[in-house]
Amino acid sequence: MRTSELIEKNNELRQLLNPENEQFYSDFLVYMRLASLLRSEFKIETMLLEILNDILDAQDEGTNAAQYFGKKPKQVADELLAATPISTREILKVAGIVVTVLLFVTFLPLLVAPTATFDLGQLLILVGYVLIVILGTFKYIAHTIYQTNAKAPKLGRWLWPGVVLLVFMVPAVAIMWVHTPWQFAMAGVTGASVIVVLMTIMTLWFLSIRGKKPFFSTYLISMLCGIAGLVLRIPAVEQLYLANQNRHVPGGFLLVGLLLILIIGNLVRLWWHRKNK
């Protein structure tokens, strides 16, 4: 049985729980999933499904989940997590997601701008920082699930997400100003070659997932940015872009172009969704 099938089975069986047991198990499940970010997802989901079946058996016998566990649920979860080693595969999986998102946010504009420079060292530093923030965030959220003191001021509950976001953003923006020796120019033939390779990889990836709807807009925007980048790297167009001494003009055209790409991408995405309903 695959991990996705375990999760689907879990969701089906949870509907058989009574309200008290469902609340108890939901808290336990969320805590386990958040606290096990770098552990084998398959092993964690297998344990969760086994525990759910045990709770259902106890429920049929008239015993609720709290009585069945005997110990505090957080203690049980921590013992299970301690017995599950860190998974190298999960580390690579999380790191891959972070790298993909950061490349999508930071690298796509470089594909369009023919004068841009890609700083690999800066990206690696940013990836490391984001991973630390993600792990810390997951650990904190998991910790709050079983907090006994839930009487925090309403103003504090509204303000703390903004404070956390600000604390996270300041170092992230600072890292964007860091420059390392691992810089690569994205102009001319080099940039065009990188764009072609990335567009090919994105197309193969999109075909491998059979064009799933949630990823269509990502693929479309990537392709439009790639096409725009190739056009701007045509020698005549690139010279026209570079010849203008007023940097605000090409920058303005670039901004407008990116906005048009986003607008067109979303329009096509809506058309795609309606067509495939």
Side-chain angles (χ1 to χ4, degrees), residues 254-264:
L254 183 59
L255 179 60
V256 172
L258 288 173
L259 290 175
L260 287 175
I261 287 173
L262 291 174
I263 293 171
I264 294 173

Side-chain angles (χ1 to χ4, degrees), residues 93-110:
K93 177 182 175 181
V94 175
I97 293 173
V98 172
V99 170
T100 301
V101 172
L102 290 177
L103 284 176
F104 185 77
V105 173
T106 63
F107 195 61
L108 281 183
L110 299 181

Side-chain angles (χ1 to χ4, degrees), residues 151-256:
K151 297 181 180 180
K154 291 185 178 180
L155 182 61
R157 291 201 298 267
W158 281 100
L159 285 179
W160 80 261
V163 174
V164 171
L165 180 61
L166 180 62
V167 171
F168 163 72
M169 288 300 298
V170 170
V173 172
I175 292 173
M176 298 302 293
W177 290 90
V178 174
H179 299 290
T180 72
W182 301 342
Q183 298 184 17
F184 304 92
M186 299 296 294
V189 177
T190 301
S193 301
V194 172
I195 290 173
V196 171
V197 170
L198 291 177
M199 290 178 70
T200 302
I201 293 174
M202 286 293 295
T203 300
L204 292 174
W205 165 75
F206 188 68
L207 293 175
S208 70
I209 61 174
R210 299 179 181 178
K212 291 183 179 179
K213 293 180 181 180
F215 302 102
F216 177 71
S217 58
T218 302
Y219 173 73
L220 179 63
I221 293 174
S222 302
M223 291 300 102
L224 291 174
C225 286
I227 293 172
L230 290 175
V231 171
L232 281 173
R233 284 167 176 80
I234 297 173
V237 179
E238 186 173 359
Q239 288 178 8
L240 181 63
Y241 178 89
L242 298 175
N244 196 324
Q245 298 301 318
N246 184 358
R247 295 299 178 185
H248 296 291
V249 174
F253 277 117
L254 183 59
L255 179 60
V256 172

